[in-house]
Amino acid sequence: MAPPSAPRAAEDGAPDAPATAARPPRQRPQKKQRKGRSSPGAPAGAAGGGPRRVLPLLIATIAALAVASTSAGVYAALTTDGSGGHAASPGGSHGDAPPSAGQGDPVKVVDEGQVAPLRRVVPPDVLAAEAGSISAAKIAKIAKLKRVRDVVAVAGGAVQLQGRQVNAFAVDPSSFRSWTPPGTAKRTDLWAALAADRFVVSPDAAKQLQLTKGYEYPVVGRTIPKLTMGGSGDLGLPGINMLVSKKSGTQMGLVPNVAVLVNAPGVSPAKVVAAVRKILGRGANVVNLHDAKYQSSGTGGKANSYLDLYKQAATSCPGLSWTVLAAIGQVESDHGRNAGRSSAGALGPMQFMPATWKSYGVDGDGDGKADIMNPYDAIPGAAKYLCANGAGRGGQQLYRAVWHYNHADWYVQKVLNLARAYAARYH
């Protein structure tokens, strides 16, 4: 599932919230003016027999993996029934809390099979697919829709693996990783495997098909290449259980531009669905990825989106609403889209200063380290910092806790207004 679409100004059905364009002057004398940010404030801180022909994703009639969670349900949604910015960082200005160290290297150009480092996360709001290729003209129209920020088109189709039909996308690992859940996006091993022409599957597919990492399997499309399994991870895309490289996809005859993912912050996903369907026509399948039936908390209760993470982290501080964390996440990094180092030295999706992170960093994903750049760690860390400053008590205490995150009244008001907008949209 994807991070919440950011509520902005009341437009296109978005809830009333302060527009991000107008900003009051900074009131933090000990902070340098940040540059190159879109928003203010940062916390202180097998063999399967079968025809050698790829079945287009949308006209396949054989059920794919009967997996639990969202995959089976969404496969049905994607197939027909038979016809053919940052702000200041927490605790940085008054020394109330120590500020965090970080990694903020710029993205590198992919070279000779190497995969580029993760620079941002792009939460998909809508998934659309056709029985054949979506034309470049239609993709361009989708990209020009009001408030649509990112669009990616991918090749895909139904292939056979271990005698079962699986929906596969062929992707560029360096760019597509940004569209997957945060925990998967950060796993460089998976994307390096794809860059090396191995395949990656969802955990459910790996289990049900009894796949073993490092083993070769014949994948049946228009050709039958033998591909090595490179690993498994939550793909966050209902009904899509396999990723292959663009080279492998071309070799197997996957349909070019069979699907598009759309990111449109600040717009009701239902409105985006309607607009995309109007462009693609009645034969297209367009899915609102925010629908409850397509959302889950991930395998073993692990969050698989920023929205999940905000909700999960808030439970660690009784009385703190997840909407406050979501509002701060929007202001600080636009939900991980702009998580690099700020001019003041703040880092990560919640923009912690390194010194603050040393005191409030959390190992949220249990990997043995508290990583300022990892949303699984940074968001619980923000909840911890806010809670330590009384956020769970509400009222003036909440106001002061947010003020401690960034010492400016305009920042507090912006965050609390956004929190109310989130509450109005999601409750």
Side-chain angles (χ1 to χ4, degrees):
M1 158 186 142
S5 294
R8 305 284 171 91
E11 175 184 352
D12 291 336
D16 236 348
T20 56
R23 294 180 197 157
R26 290 193 173 271
Q27 304 176 19
R28 304 187 64 183
Q30 299 181 28
K31 285 280 184 188
K32 293 182 179 179
Q33 180 70 30
R34 289 181 175 256
K35 299 178 181 178
R37 301 293 184 186
S38 60
S39 50
R52 297 192 183 187
R53 177 178 174 272
V54 174
L55 296 174
L57 184 68
L58 297 178
I59 62 172
T61 56
I62 303 172
L65 294 174
V67 295
S69 76
T70 62
S71 297
V74 185
Y75 179 84
L78 289 178
T79 54
T80 59
D81 283 333
S83 57
H86 297 311
S89 43
S93 61
H94 296 298
D96 300 300
S100 77
Q103 320 133 1
D105 294 338
V107 92
K108 298 177 183 176
V109 176
V110 179
D111 183 36
E112 296 182 356
Q114 297 299 312
V115 64
L118 178 67
R119 182 178 60 181
R120 62 181 188 145
V121 172
V122 183
D125 298 307
V126 171
L127 169 61
E130 285 191 347
S133 296
I134 301 173
S135 71
K138 288 182 178 180
I139 295 171
K141 284 184 179 180
I142 293 172
K144 290 178 181 177
L145 288 172
K146 195 173 186 180
R147 304 295 289 276
V148 166
R149 179 173 297 179
D150 290 285
V151 175
V152 63
V154 295
V159 300
Q160 288 188 26
L161 178 62
Q162 294 287 74
R164 302 288 295 276
Q165 186 164 298
V166 178
N167 283 331
F169 277 171
V171 303
D172 173 358
S174 291
S175 59
F176 193 79
R177 67 187 298 185
S178 298
W179 291 83
T180 59
T184 302
K186 72 170 187 172
R187 288 190 51 192
T188 302
D189 62 310
L190 293 181
W191 306 105
L194 274 173
D197 296 320
R198 300 188 172 202
F199 70 87
V200 170
V201 293
S202 67
D204 289 322
K207 181 179 179 180
Q208 292 207 5
L209 298 183
Q210 299 182 349
L211 303 173
T212 303
K213 182 178 178 180
Y215 280 69
E216 271 191 351
Y217 299 91
V219 182
V220 182
R222 285 200 176 108
T223 61
I224 311 179
K226 288 188 177 181
L227 302 180
T228 301
M229 180 187 172
S232 66
D234 178 22
L235 306 183
L237 299 172
I240 308 303
N241 291 299
M242 183 180 189
L243 298 180
V244 298
S245 69
K246 284 189 171 182
K247 177 181 176 181
S248 296
T250 299
Q251 183 181 6
M252 290 187 291
L254 296 186
V255 182
N257 294 348
V258 75
V260 292
L261 288 168
V262 182
N263 163 253
V267 186
S268 164
K271 290 194 172 185
V272 181
V273 166
V276 171
R277 185 174 285 123
K278 185 175 180 180
I279 292 172
L280 297 184
R282 294 177 124 185
N285 283 278
V286 188
V287 174
N288 175 358
L289 295 175
H290 293 275
D291 278 352
K293 62 184 175 181
Y294 302 141
Q295 298 176 6
S296 72
S297 295
T299 304
K302 186 176 181 180
N304 63 10
S305 74
Y306 273 77
L307 180 58
D308 286 342
L309 287 169
Y310 295 135
K311 291 180 176 180
Q312 197 173 81
T315 63
S316 68
C317 181
L320 174 64
S321 171
W322 69 266
T323 61
V324 175
L325 290 172
I328 290 175
Q330 177 181 326
V331 173
E332 297 300 340
S333 73
D334 202 5
H335 311 306
R337 294 179 180 90
N338 192 11
R341 185 187 298 273
S342 74
S343 61
L347 285 163
M350 302 305 278
Q351 286 293 283
F352 270 94
M353 295 295 287
T356 306
W357 184 253
K358 290 180 181 178
S359 294
Y360 293 96
V362 172
D363 176 16
D365 58 3
D367 66 355
K369 62 181 179 180
D371 183 356
I372 196 173
M373 301 299 292
N374 180 358
Y376 283 90
D377 298 344
I379 293 173
K384 180 180 178 180
Y385 182 81
L386 290 168
C387 208
N389 285 289
R393 294 194 285 274
Q396 279 301 114
Q397 288 295 329
L398 173 61
Y399 190 101
R400 283 194 58 79
V402 177
W403 183 88
H404 277 290
Y405 209 91
N406 181 9
H407 302 168
D409 289 322
W410 64 262
Y411 175 87
V412 180
Q413 292 160 11
K414 183 181 184 73
V415 166
L416 296 182
N417 282 336
L418 279 172
R420 284 190 284 270
Y422 276 114
R425 170 171 295 175
Y426 286 92
H427 292 170

